[in-house]
Amino acid sequence: GESVGLHLPTLSVQEGDNSIINCAYSNSASDYFIWYKQESGKGPQFIIDIRSNMDKRQGQRVTVLLNKTVKHLSLQIAATQPGDSAVYFCAEVSSNTGKLIFGQGTTLQVKP
Amino acid sequence: DAGVIQSPRHEVTEMGQEVTLRCKPISGHNSLFWYRQTMMRGLELLIYFNNNVPIDDSGMPEDRFSAKMPNASFSTLKIQPSEPRDSAVYFCASSFSGQGNGYTFGSGTRLTVV
């Protein structure tokens, strides 16, 4: 079956440090991946996405890496700020089904 | 655009009552998704529509749950009868054929069944 899971439920970092959040997926048919940020009381908010024909994509302070060989995604946040504190989800889309499936989520805590 | 609009934001109801959650997707989006979020199960996809047609409802937990999309600008998720274990935050999301960052989520409806 399909499943997307996160390795670390909670990540605590110092303000200014870089953060790396990891995610494993199991559906090799997935060809599109998205990272979402969810703050308390809000819906998931798009951060960055990547297609399976790429292995890296950069945004503003964020980078997503995709390793299809081991079915692994990571989200790197540079110079982590208190406003980055939230739960981060990776999600995959299977072109076969069109379904957006979420992983478990990782809580990022930024210490001042 | 106001984004995906869900109502109500909060709903408290007694066990056995019917509950209807509403969603207005982003104009122009042709796919709509209903999710349920709990601490135990995370974000679960319940059902999704493409061009107002239900494509996959395999995530709907029981026959007590039903969803409709009568037109491109409105969808409902109904629970009848509701049970305490249905308590969760229900999110609606919309996209345009699932491309790019078009998976936009609403603010959710927090449902409490007592």
Side-chain angles (χ1 to χ4, degrees):
Chain A
E2 301 169 358
S3 68
V4 179
L6 293 173
H7 295 305
L8 301 175
T10 303
L11 176 65
S12 184
V13 301
Q14 204 70 38
E15 181 179 357
D17 287 351
N18 297 332
S19 303
I20 300 177
I21 301 172
N22 296 302
C23 172
Y25 66 95
S26 62
N27 186 359
S28 57
S30 294
D31 56 3
Y32 179 53
F33 304 88
I34 309 172
W35 280 100
Y36 282 92
K37 173 186 180 182
Q38 187 177 25
E39 296 174 289
S40 180
K42 298 182 180 179
Q45 178 185 8
F46 173 91
I47 301 173
I48 191 169
D49 59 358
I50 189 168
R51 298 204 172 271
S52 59
N53 61 352
M54 304 171 67
D55 54 19
K56 181 179 180 179
R57 191 170 186 210
Q58 288 184 296
Q60 187 177 12
R61 283 203 305 120
V62 294
T63 301
V64 55
L65 299 177
L66 174 62
N67 185 330
K68 294 182 290 294
T69 302
V70 296
K71 297 178 188 171
H72 185 266
L73 273 169
S74 69
L75 176 70
Q76 300 178 1
I77 304 174
T80 313
Q81 302 169 0
D84 295 327
S85 295
V87 178
Y88 289 80
F89 294 92
C90 66
E92 63 175 312
V93 181
S94 168
S95 57
N96 294 335
T97 64
K99 298 195 294 188
L100 178 68
I101 304 297
F102 280 83
Q104 180 185 1
T106 293
T107 299
L108 176 64
Q109 298 175 341
V110 182
K111 296 176 287 186
Chain B
D1 197 316
V4 175
I5 300 173
Q6 291 186 245
S7 64
R9 284 282 281 146
H10 302 275
E11 177 80 29
V12 180
T13 191
E14 292 184 345
M15 181 175 61
Q17 295 299 305
E18 177 181 294
V19 175
T20 300
L21 311 181
R22 297 173 175 79
C23 176
K24 176 177 168 51
I26 289 176
S27 177
H29 282 186
N30 62 350
S31 293
L32 184 140
F33 305 79
W34 282 101
Y35 288 85
R36 177 173 68 177
Q37 186 174 36
T38 61
M39 289 296 292
M40 292 296 295
R41 294 176 175 267
L43 275 158
E44 301 173 278
L45 177 63
L46 301 178
I47 185 171
Y48 80 97
F49 297 83
N50 196 45
N51 295 321
N52 311 339
V53 176
I55 302 300
D56 188 331
D57 65 353
S58 60
M60 296 286 262
E62 300 172 31
D63 291 344
R64 297 184 297 107
F65 285 69
S66 63
K68 294 182 179 180
M69 192 164 187
N71 57 62
S73 59
F74 184 66
S75 177
T76 59
L77 177 67
K78 185 175 294 186
I79 308 173
Q80 165 64 20
S82 58
E83 297 182 3
R85 60 192 169 124
D86 301 330
S87 298
V89 181
Y90 291 81
F91 288 103
C92 175
S94 71
S95 72
F96 180 69
S97 298
Q99 292 187 9
N101 59 359
Y103 288 92
T104 304
F105 282 76
S107 298
T109 294
R110 180 174 293 278
L111 173 65
T112 303
V113 183
V114 298

